[in-house]
Amino acid sequence: MTNGGRKKATIYDLSVLSGSSPSTVSAVLNGTWRKRRIKESTAELIRSLAETHQYTANRQARGLRSSRSGLVGLLLPVHDNRYFSSLAQTFEAHVRSKGQCPIVVSASRDPEEERRTAETLISYSIDELFICGATDPDGVHEVCEAAGLRHINIDLPGTKVPSVISDNFEGGRLLTEAIIRHFPAERPLEPDDLYLFGGRDDHATRERIRGFRAVKEELLGSDPDECIWPTGYAADNARRAFEAFYEQHGKLPRGFFVNSSINFEGLLRFMAEHPLENFTDLVVGCYDYDPFASFLPFPVIMIRQNIEGMIAKAFEVIEEPRASLQIHMIEPQLVPPRTALTGPLDALMDSEMPQE
Amino acid sequence: MTNGGRKKATIYDLSVLSGSSPSTVSAVLNGTWRKRRIKESTAELIRSLAETHQYTANRQARGLRSSRSGLVGLLLPVHDNRYFSSLAQTFEAHVRSKGQCPIVVSASRDPEEERRTAETLISYSIDELFICGATDPDGVHEVCEAAGLRHINIDLPGTKVPSVISDNFEGGRLLTEAIIRHFPAERPLEPDDLYLFGGRDDHATRERIRGFRAVKEELLGSDPDECIWPTGYAADNARRAFEAFYEQHGKLPRGFFVNSSINFEGLLRFMAEHPLENFTDLVVGCYDYDPFASFLPFPVIMIRQNIEGMIAKAFEVIEEPRASLQIHMIEPQLVPPRTALTGPLDALMDSEMPQE
DNA sequence: CTTTTTTGCACAATCGATGGTGCAATGACT
DNA sequence: AGTCATTGCACCATCGATTGTGCAAAAAAG
């Protein structure tokens, strides 16, 4: 270690070593030195000193002075789910490619927590905030607005700044239609055989339900209200809903529209406690994609939201100086059963060679 | 908005408004005011002003002064995977409960990227770093050491600071034994029917292989070298390995030990291109737990690493002033097929009530 | 009514980097 | 030789919060 082992070198250290002033050192190391007419040889000297002393700028100091931090925040409902973790992965790649540092935090779908978390991020002077799947996007907006922080909504729209979301109506339609058509013509699905479980009273769920009902009306001719069970996003709430249904009817519906992979986990929990034979005439549609779920022993039709598309669009829109207050819809994709799609990891993994 | 809409209030603003000095304001708002013998009524006044002006401390300024930031880092290989995203979720909860801000970043299992990422985090003066699944933990250690940053290894051990890892040998044994015993006595598994796929030359893989081989030797009497295929962690590498095997043998092995859920995705990719009938006499063991994988149409035995246990232990050890250079092993758990376990989300979701 | 103690707070340096401004030294030009 | 422009850099205030120190005013003690 060139360094004694402890404290990091500062521009003042390098200033002493190089015989230049701190401002010169600063200019050399942050790239503004040409503008300041620093001699090439001076710059060279300082750069080499920085190198040997492993200098890295203290970003808190820089951020304090410039009131920017190089941090870009992503506010998620939760981490532990393939949809949001893929979002995080993709977000990270985008932020890194701009030379900034991603900071991904979850707020449990709790409006209060969302605001507090945004406050915290703001106190670190983050440069931008991507608000994903927030229960109260406009609440978070106020916090950002008050701090003059650029932000954008993803996945669930707000009314104060632009949003980039999945086309949930169309996705709901696609998925519902695919479920219905998956049943053979000789044993067609009845209207009261197709239920929607999960989700809550948010924009995404409402739109999916709208698509669901439209297609049911269109293809099955009717659309009973009792086929909609919004159980919230917790897996265990969904499980209880399935249990309740099973108690009531002695069986499950033949067709399911499950509103998210988390709700789908509730179905697994139900299934773990009931014999497999009960699920031979079952088609599940899930609004989310998970590779393992796609291969379950009954037909699972999934919707994969276009994560790369949404993130890319969001970065595009957030850079626009005067973006119009608009909801950008990104088309999701229908995934037939037994399909293994590639994800954001596949872009990374090239570098990883088998050992030995 | 009490605030005009723009710049955040500072202690100087409050100092003017309250008629006290900035240092008094600071002391009141950071809790050290009793030590400084500030009058209760003064404190009260300042607190109420802070409230109405929505004051929040600028953490870059605080961090600069105190050379602490309140940020705690978690360095992951990747986000997009249930194991690591559960880790992130659990880590977040722990950090939050200490009143600090979690910052989770991934480094793609690339040693160079790992060091750079650690450097970046250090430049933000993070207070602690949890190094999870790093390809080169000791490389990251050097960076941390040079900056005087407390750190600890998780999941993959290093040699310079304490590590908290899964007991991979025991987990490997458990999983291998469960795979073997899952075959009925009348059609027992032959030694060359049980293969291990995935992983690379890291501590975890080596230990799992050691467990695998020990159990094979013990229960099946022999343990051919060609049954070990370390393909790296990329899904597509694993897929190619399965294809290659299939080419070569015209079938898959009857028993699989798959080294991670990411490798398991490679198996799915393989299966998507081959008829389902090929997989009737197949038992898969996977070193990772994923609820959907557990319900696949063939027996899937999984290992769930004790994430909560590992994180809790890591926080405990990292707080110890002079922790001994030790590898703490946390026992993983064998998960039989068709099991839906609860995860870190279940602790959160209570607050989420079904709507309507 | 002094002297001592306690109370309550203000002052000022500091953390590390940034960027506007000023000024000496050098070279160019008449 | 004298004027002017250019080069190359140093100086200093600043960002917002923290913290050691000092010192008046009030209270207690004598």
Side-chain angles (χ1 to χ4, degrees), chain B residues 83 153-155 163-171 174 287 303-314 316-317 327-333:
Chain B
Y83 174 51
N153 300 305
I154 302 183
D155 191 58
S163 305
V164 178
I165 66 174
S166 211
D167 186 343
N168 288 298
F169 176 66
E170 184 57 21
L174 281 174
Y287 206 107
I303 290 286
R304 178 160 74 163
Q305 306 190 47
N306 181 353
I307 290 175
E308 173 59 35
M310 289 170 63
I311 293 284
K313 186 68 181 179
E316 188 184 301
V317 173
I327 298 188
H328 302 267
M329 299 249 235
I330 307 290
E331 291 309 312
Q333 169 191 6

Side-chain angles (χ1 to χ4, degrees), chain A residues 22-37:
Chain A
S23 60
T24 299
V25 175
S26 170
V28 167
L29 296 173
N30 69 24
T32 61
W33 58 285
R34 292 199 172 283
K35 202 171 61 191
R36 284 180 160 272
R37 301 194 310 250

